[in-house]
Amino acid sequence: MPTTPPESQAVSTAVTRSAIFLVATLADGDDHAATVRAWCADVAAVVRAVGHRVPDGNLSCVCGFGSQAWDRLFGAPRPAALHPFREFGAGERMAPATPGDLLLHIRAESMDLCFELATQLLGKLGNAVRVVDEVHGFRNFDMRAMIGFVDGTENPSGREAVDFTVIGEEDAGFAGGSYVIVQKYLHDMAGWNALPVERQELIIGRKKLSDIELDASVKPSNSHSSLTTLDDDGQEVKILRNNMMFGRPGAGEFGTYFIAYARSPAPIEQMLENMFVGRPPGNYDRLLDFSRAVTGGLFFVPSADLLEALADRSGPTAGGARPTA
């Protein structure tokens, strides 16, 4: 007898004009863990309450949990592919792992909606968490990234977006969920802007003005688009990016908040390895000569149904013994 699949969180929501990204760590103590568990049942209602005030504001929030946080809060069973963020590269060209137990990805057409929702959700958490990274992002005109190229051109859409981002029968207990990887990049805009446009296009693998992909005969194998294109038996494997610009011109800070959703972290990790290590090793993404990753985290996004149900978990022994890995 067919069953209705679990409802996903707002993973595949269209790109909005504004976003707030919050990464927090859990405070010590069983009472703080209980506060976070209870909060899980309130998230959807708070989003509805704030969003109802501006119906056309497209307000949404995606909530994810890191590997250690999942073990501490919910125990077994746990999502099959959830693990700590894997670092790639070395030295000046590295994708570092940074602390993060809870991720909130808040989106809306205006920053006031994002700000109000962030305030309400964090207010309910109180001192049970400590925010370790907060970024207020905005969508640039023409859908262009900080470096001037159109961002997210190859994003899947519609049914394809669901297929590439939502877990199915491969991990049936967590169907309707997703994985998300976030990184904060800072750019050397003076160095980047000093490059001729033709050189920038070879680094990215696309024309800057038209966004048309360069012909294979001229596109370098270490271009950004080459290294982030994955093939599985002739079929392209896609991820869903929802990147946003951020910065403080007065402080000389110009950045991109990279956020990517997938039904497994493996394709995103493969793209990062290709970029930071190279394919083959040494043939790395030259965009990293001008862009530096300063944060990195991997989170599991439960389905909307599971997020609410997690409030009833009793801690690490729920559903079985606490995992050791």
Side-chain angles (χ1 to χ4, degrees):
M1 184 175 180
T3 59
T4 302
E7 181 184 355
S8 300
Q9 293 192 58
V11 167
S12 57
T13 297
V15 178
T16 53
R17 297 204 62 83
S18 302
I20 293 180
F21 307 94
L22 294 163
V23 176
T25 54
L26 304 181
D28 293 335
D30 292 342
D31 54 337
H32 292 316
T35 295
V36 176
R37 283 193 293 271
W39 173 87
C40 291
D42 295 336
V43 174
V46 175
V47 174
R48 286 194 300 270
V50 176
H52 183 71
R53 292 149 61 181
V54 187
D56 60 352
N58 295 327
L59 179 66
S60 67
C61 176
V62 174
C63 174
F65 299 92
S67 180
Q68 293 181 346
W70 185 276
D71 290 346
R72 179 181 165 194
L73 291 169
F74 313 120
R78 72 196 310 274
L82 181 60
H83 54 260
F85 180 83
R86 290 174 178 161
E87 295 184 332
F88 297 96
E92 293 296 315
R93 190 177 71 253
M94 184 175 182
T98 50
D101 294 321
L102 174 67
L103 170 70
L104 296 180
H105 178 197
I106 299 171
R107 285 174 280 188
E109 293 302 329
S110 60
M111 183 54 70
D112 56 346
L113 273 174
C114 296
F115 189 89
E116 174 67 10
L117 181 56
T119 301
Q120 295 293 340
L121 290 175
L122 289 177
K124 284 184 170 291
L125 286 168
N127 60 2
V129 303
R130 181 174 69 90
V131 174
V132 293
D133 191 43
E134 176 175 349
V135 173
H136 293 211
F138 61 94
R139 189 182 78 196
N140 199 10
F141 57 88
D142 225 12
M143 299 296 288
R144 294 186 182 272
M146 184 68 75
I147 58 173
F149 285 76
V150 176
D151 199 5
T153 301
E154 296 299 327
N155 269 350
S157 60
R159 183 69 238 178
E160 188 181 46
V162 175
D163 292 341
F164 278 114
T165 60
V166 178
I167 296 168
E169 291 302 312
E170 70 272 20
D171 192 9
F174 295 94
S178 300
Y179 293 91
V180 58
I181 283 180
V182 297
Q183 293 177 293
K184 185 164 67 175
Y185 286 86
L186 298 178
H187 307 300
D188 170 16
M189 291 306 299
W192 177 255
N193 288 332
L195 295 178
V197 170
E198 292 77 10
R199 176 59 183 153
Q200 293 180 359
E201 291 175 341
L202 290 174
I203 290 174
I204 299 300
R206 288 182 174 275
K207 288 289 187 179
K208 191 169 187 177
L209 179 61
S210 67
D211 191 39
I212 301 300
E213 190 170 0
L214 297 183
D215 188 88
S217 63
V218 298
K219 185 171 70 170
S221 62
N222 61 5
S223 70
H224 181 71
S225 65
S226 294
L227 293 173
T228 57
T229 298
L230 302 182
D231 181 275
D232 182 16
D233 292 331
Q235 297 294 318
E236 184 177 354
V237 179
K238 295 190 175 184
I239 63 175
L240 183 64
R241 301 168 179 84
N242 217 180
N243 304 342
M244 283 279 184
M245 292 172 51
F246 68 92
R248 296 178 299 153
E253 179 184 82
F254 302 92
T256 297
Y257 200 93
F258 169 80
I259 179 166
Y261 292 95
R263 64 191 298 165
S264 164
I268 311 175
E269 291 172 331
Q270 185 62 65
M271 291 179 187
L272 292 179
E273 182 175 359
N274 292 349
M275 290 171 58
F276 284 84
V277 178
R279 185 176 65 185
N283 193 45
Y284 70 90
D285 188 343
R286 265 44 182 189
L287 180 57
L288 296 176
D289 291 340
F290 305 91
S291 301
R292 178 170 58 94
V294 295
T295 68
L298 165 63
F299 302 87
F300 172 70
V301 176
S303 68
D305 301 326
L306 178 56
L307 178 62
E308 185 171 351
L310 288 174
D312 296 327
R313 290 284 188 104
S314 58
T317 58
R322 179 170 182 167
T324 58

